[in-house]
Amino acid sequence: MLTSVKRSAEIIEAFVDGQREWGVGELASHMGMPTPTVHHFLASFRKAGWIVQDPATRRYRLAIRLWEIGCAAVNFREVAESARPFLRRLVSECRETVHLGMVPLEDPHSVVYLDRVDSSHPVRIVTMLGSSAPSHSSAMGKAIIAHNPEFERAVLKGPLEEVTPRTLIDPEALRKDLALTRKRGYSMSVGEYMGEMVGIAAPVCDRVGVVNLGIGIWAPTARMTPEFVARTAPSLIDGADRISRQLGYVGEFEHSVSRGKGRSR
């Protein structure tokens, strides 16, 4: 099954990487697969509406259905655009680069970076948009999984990759760290993803209160001092709450930073 899925993806991607139309034999040669096998895949894709065949040339190309599926991914771009004014506000306050990230439903062990607003620091973190990190090692990932019980259960089952010597790879230690994140309203990662780097992050709720997004700051240890964290955490949490409101969340928030309480949903 996994082999079939992998081959399906590879065939579809062949229509994206430069050449947009293929004949069956030509595509089979390009993929290094038997022609009957490729023909079988293309026939299945036609039934699904993913592929169309030109009746004159008999060559195949991607169908409009894949464009519709792609539009679903554009929603993440819309989320990023909604969040961007609040990211800019945070950058102006803290003068550090601020990121927006997501833990995918299909892979709770990863956090993907969707957007960032850069600071003016000559030395700053440049995270490639679309890149990912192990969710249990990054502040962004921990802020999200701490507030999503399904993600937390999945991640605590392991395995937990040791990204750096400081990464929490003991499930019980990680469980306690996630509980602390919920209590104070923001997460911390001190050298757990990259040495000499500190990150803090806060969760973002969607319209119905589910958390799979977050915003975060990470910078060199020399700048991410305890004083900086204490000063910046309330603004970070407030920014996350404002983005949640922008996305349609109407529930209540409680914050340990300002009230001595935990954050609840």
Side-chain angles (χ1 to χ4, degrees), residues 124-157:
R124 61 181 185 269
I125 303 304
V126 178
T127 302
M128 294 294 294
L129 301 186
S131 66
S132 63
S135 57
H136 69 284
S137 70
S138 74
M140 182 80 73
K142 291 198 292 182
I144 296 169
I145 63 178
H147 292 84
N148 187 308
E150 291 185 13
F151 287 169
E152 182 174 3
R153 283 192 293 270
V155 170
L156 289 175
K157 287 180 181 178

Short mmCIF file of all heavy atoms in Angstrom, two decimals, residues 124-157:
data_model
loop_
_atom_site.label_atom_id
_atom_site.label_comp_id
_atom_site.label_asym_id
_atom_site.label_seq_id
_atom_site.Cartn_x
_atom_site.Cartn_y
_atom_site.Cartn_z
N ARG A 124 20.02 37.28 12.99
CA ARG A 124 18.68 36.82 13.32
C ARG A 124 18.45 35.44 12.71
O ARG A 124 19.19 34.99 11.84
CB ARG A 124 17.62 37.79 12.81
CG ARG A 124 17.59 37.98 11.30
CD ARG A 124 16.51 38.97 10.91
NE ARG A 124 16.37 39.10 9.47
CZ ARG A 124 17.01 39.98 8.74
NH1 ARG A 124 17.85 40.83 9.33
NH2 ARG A 124 16.82 40.04 7.44
N ILE A 125 17.40 34.77 13.18
CA ILE A 125 17.05 33.45 12.70
C ILE A 125 16.24 33.58 11.42
O ILE A 125 15.25 34.31 11.37
CB ILE A 125 16.23 32.69 13.76
CG1 ILE A 125 17.02 32.59 15.05
CG2 ILE A 125 15.87 31.30 13.25
CD1 ILE A 125 18.38 31.96 14.91
N VAL A 126 16.68 32.89 10.38
CA VAL A 126 15.94 32.88 9.11
C VAL A 126 15.41 31.47 8.90
O VAL A 126 16.17 30.56 8.54
CB VAL A 126 16.82 33.33 7.94
CG1 VAL A 126 16.03 33.26 6.64
CG2 VAL A 126 17.36 34.73 8.18
N THR A 127 14.14 31.27 9.16
CA THR A 127 13.51 29.96 8.99
C THR A 127 12.84 29.90 7.63
O THR A 127 12.05 30.78 7.29
CB THR A 127 12.44 29.74 10.08
OG1 THR A 127 13.07 29.85 11.36
CG2 THR A 127 11.82 28.36 9.96
N MET A 128 13.17 28.89 6.86
CA MET A 128 12.55 28.74 5.54
C MET A 128 11.07 28.40 5.71
O MET A 128 10.72 27.46 6.45
CB MET A 128 13.24 27.62 4.77
CG MET A 128 14.69 27.93 4.41
SD MET A 128 14.84 29.31 3.24
CE MET A 128 14.06 28.60 1.80
N LEU A 129 10.21 29.15 5.05
CA LEU A 129 8.78 28.85 5.12
C LEU A 129 8.52 27.50 4.47
O LEU A 129 9.05 27.19 3.41
CB LEU A 129 7.98 29.95 4.43
CG LEU A 129 8.17 31.36 4.99
CD1 LEU A 129 7.21 32.32 4.33
CD2 LEU A 129 7.99 31.38 6.51
N GLY A 130 7.72 26.68 5.14
CA GLY A 130 7.47 25.33 4.67
C GLY A 130 8.39 24.31 5.29
O GLY A 130 8.15 23.11 5.16
N SER A 131 9.46 24.78 5.95
CA SER A 131 10.36 23.84 6.62
C SER A 131 9.71 23.34 7.91
O SER A 131 8.74 23.93 8.40
CB SER A 131 11.70 24.50 6.93
OG SER A 131 11.55 25.55 7.87
N SER A 132 10.23 22.27 8.46
CA SER A 132 9.62 21.67 9.64
C SER A 132 10.67 21.33 10.68
O SER A 132 11.87 21.30 10.39
CB SER A 132 8.83 20.41 9.27
OG SER A 132 9.69 19.42 8.75
N ALA A 133 10.20 21.08 11.89
CA ALA A 133 11.06 20.68 13.00
C ALA A 133 10.30 19.66 13.84
O ALA A 133 9.06 19.63 13.81
CB ALA A 133 11.44 21.89 13.85
N PRO A 134 11.00 18.81 14.59
CA PRO A 134 10.29 17.90 15.50
C PRO A 134 9.50 18.72 16.52
O PRO A 134 10.06 19.59 17.19
CB PRO A 134 11.44 17.12 16.16
CG PRO A 134 12.57 17.20 15.19
CD PRO A 134 12.46 18.57 14.58
N SER A 135 8.22 18.45 16.63
CA SER A 135 7.35 19.30 17.46
C SER A 135 7.73 19.26 18.93
O SER A 135 7.55 20.26 19.64
CB SER A 135 5.89 18.89 17.28
OG SER A 135 5.70 17.53 17.60
N HIS A 136 8.29 18.15 19.41
CA HIS A 136 8.61 18.05 20.84
C HIS A 136 9.88 18.81 21.20
O HIS A 136 10.17 19.00 22.38
CB HIS A 136 8.77 16.59 21.25
CG HIS A 136 9.98 15.93 20.68
ND1 HIS A 136 10.05 15.52 19.36
CD2 HIS A 136 11.18 15.61 21.23
CE1 HIS A 136 11.25 14.97 19.14
NE2 HIS A 136 11.94 15.02 20.25
N SER A 137 10.64 19.26 20.18
CA SER A 137 11.90 19.94 20.46
C SER A 137 11.81 21.45 20.33
O SER A 137 12.70 22.16 20.81
CB SER A 137 12.99 19.43 19.51
OG SER A 137 12.76 19.87 18.17
N SER A 138 10.78 21.96 19.68
CA SER A 138 10.68 23.39 19.43
C SER A 138 9.62 24.02 20.32
O SER A 138 8.63 23.38 20.69
CB SER A 138 10.33 23.65 17.96
OG SER A 138 8.98 23.35 17.71
N ALA A 139 9.82 25.29 20.65
CA ALA A 139 8.84 26.00 21.45
C ALA A 139 7.50 26.06 20.73
O ALA A 139 6.44 25.87 21.33
CB ALA A 139 9.34 27.41 21.76
N MET A 140 7.55 26.30 19.41
CA MET A 140 6.31 26.37 18.63
C MET A 140 5.54 25.06 18.72
O MET A 140 4.33 25.05 19.00
CB MET A 140 6.64 26.66 17.16
CG MET A 140 5.42 26.80 16.27
SD MET A 140 4.66 28.41 16.40
CE MET A 140 5.86 29.40 15.50
N GLY A 141 6.23 23.95 18.49
CA GLY A 141 5.57 22.65 18.54
C GLY A 141 5.01 22.36 19.92
O GLY A 141 3.87 21.88 20.06
N LYS A 142 5.78 22.66 20.96
CA LYS A 142 5.33 22.36 22.32
C LYS A 142 4.13 23.21 22.73
O LYS A 142 3.24 22.73 23.45
CB LYS A 142 6.49 22.52 23.31
CG LYS A 142 7.57 21.46 23.14
CD LYS A 142 8.47 21.35 24.36
CE LYS A 142 9.33 22.56 24.55
NZ LYS A 142 10.24 22.38 25.73
N ALA A 143 4.09 24.47 22.27
CA ALA A 143 2.93 25.31 22.59
C ALA A 143 1.66 24.73 22.00
O ALA A 143 0.59 24.77 22.63
CB ALA A 143 3.16 26.73 22.04
N ILE A 144 1.78 24.16 20.81
CA ILE A 144 0.60 23.60 20.14
C ILE A 144 0.19 22.27 20.74
O ILE A 144 -0.98 22.07 21.10
CB ILE A 144 0.87 23.47 18.63
CG1 ILE A 144 1.09 24.85 18.00
CG2 ILE A 144 -0.29 22.75 17.93
CD1 ILE A 144 1.62 24.82 16.57
N ILE A 145 1.14 21.34 20.86
CA ILE A 145 0.75 20.01 21.35
C ILE A 145 0.33 20.03 22.81
O ILE A 145 -0.48 19.20 23.25
CB ILE A 145 1.87 18.95 21.11
CG1 ILE A 145 3.14 19.30 21.88
CG2 ILE A 145 2.16 18.81 19.63
CD1 ILE A 145 4.25 18.26 21.71
N ALA A 146 0.81 21.02 23.58
CA ALA A 146 0.39 21.12 24.98
C ALA A 146 -1.08 21.46 25.09
O ALA A 146 -1.73 21.15 26.11
CB ALA A 146 1.22 22.18 25.70
N HIS A 147 -1.64 22.10 24.07
CA HIS A 147 -3.04 22.53 24.10
C HIS A 147 -3.92 21.73 23.14
O HIS A 147 -5.05 22.14 22.85
CB HIS A 147 -3.13 24.02 23.78
CG HIS A 147 -2.53 24.89 24.84
ND1 HIS A 147 -1.18 25.17 24.90
CD2 HIS A 147 -3.09 25.52 25.91
CE1 HIS A 147 -0.94 25.93 25.94
NE2 HIS A 147 -2.08 26.16 26.57
N ASN A 148 -3.40 20.62 22.65
CA ASN A 148 -4.18 19.74 21.78
C ASN A 148 -4.02 18.32 22.31
O ASN A 148 -2.99 17.68 22.07
CB ASN A 148 -3.70 19.85 20.33
CG ASN A 148 -4.57 19.09 19.36
OD1 ASN A 148 -4.85 17.91 19.55
ND2 ASN A 148 -5.01 19.75 18.30
N PRO A 149 -5.01 17.80 23.06
CA PRO A 149 -4.86 16.48 23.69
C PRO A 149 -4.54 15.35 22.72
O PRO A 149 -3.76 14.45 23.06
CB PRO A 149 -6.23 16.27 24.36
CG PRO A 149 -6.76 17.65 24.59
CD PRO A 149 -6.27 18.46 23.42
N GLU A 150 -5.11 15.39 21.52
CA GLU A 150 -4.83 14.32 20.54
C GLU A 150 -3.36 14.36 20.11
O GLU A 150 -2.71 13.32 20.02
CB GLU A 150 -5.74 14.47 19.33
CG GLU A 150 -7.20 14.17 19.62
CD GLU A 150 -8.05 14.21 18.36
OE1 GLU A 150 -7.47 14.22 17.25
OE2 GLU A 150 -9.27 14.25 18.48
N PHE A 151 -2.85 15.56 19.86
CA PHE A 151 -1.45 15.69 19.49
C PHE A 151 -0.55 15.22 20.63
O PHE A 151 0.45 14.53 20.43
CB PHE A 151 -1.12 17.14 19.16
CG PHE A 151 -1.67 17.63 17.85
CD1 PHE A 151 -1.65 18.99 17.54
CD2 PHE A 151 -2.22 16.76 16.93
CE1 PHE A 151 -2.15 19.46 16.34
CE2 PHE A 151 -2.73 17.21 15.72
CZ PHE A 151 -2.69 18.56 15.42
N GLU A 152 -0.91 15.62 21.85
CA GLU A 152 -0.08 15.27 23.01
C GLU A 152 0.00 13.75 23.18
O GLU A 152 1.08 13.20 23.39
CB GLU A 152 -0.63 15.91 24.28
CG GLU A 152 0.24 15.62 25.50
CD GLU A 152 -0.22 16.37 26.74
OE1 GLU A 152 -1.24 17.08 26.67
OE2 GLU A 152 0.45 16.25 27.78
N ARG A 153 -1.14 13.08 23.08
CA ARG A 153 -1.13 11.62 23.21
C ARG A 153 -0.26 10.98 22.13
O ARG A 153 0.52 10.05 22.42
CB ARG A 153 -2.56 11.07 23.12
CG ARG A 153 -3.38 11.27 24.38
CD ARG A 153 -4.66 10.46 24.33
NE ARG A 153 -5.57 10.95 23.30
CZ ARG A 153 -6.49 11.88 23.51
NH1 ARG A 153 -6.62 12.44 24.69
NH2 ARG A 153 -7.30 12.26 22.53
N ALA A 154 -0.38 11.45 20.91
CA ALA A 154 0.39 10.87 19.81
C ALA A 154 1.88 11.09 20.01
O ALA A 154 2.69 10.17 19.80
CB ALA A 154 -0.06 11.49 18.48
N VAL A 155 2.27 12.28 20.41
CA VAL A 155 3.69 12.60 20.57
C VAL A 155 4.29 11.83 21.75
O VAL A 155 5.41 11.32 21.65
CB VAL A 155 3.90 14.12 20.73
CG1 VAL A 155 5.34 14.43 21.12
CG2 VAL A 155 3.54 14.83 19.43
N LEU A 156 3.57 11.74 22.84
CA LEU A 156 4.10 11.06 24.02
C LEU A 156 4.27 9.56 23.80
O LEU A 156 5.02 8.91 24.54
CB LEU A 156 3.21 11.33 25.23
CG LEU A 156 3.27 12.75 25.78
CD1 LEU A 156 2.26 12.94 26.90
CD2 LEU A 156 4.68 13.08 26.29
N LYS A 157 3.60 9.01 22.81
CA LYS A 157 3.81 7.60 22.48
C LYS A 157 5.20 7.37 21.89
O LYS A 157 5.69 6.23 21.87
CB LYS A 157 2.75 7.12 21.48
CG LYS A 157 1.37 6.96 22.08
CD LYS A 157 0.39 6.48 21.01
CE LYS A 157 -1.02 6.33 21.57
NZ LYS A 157 -1.98 5.93 20.49
#
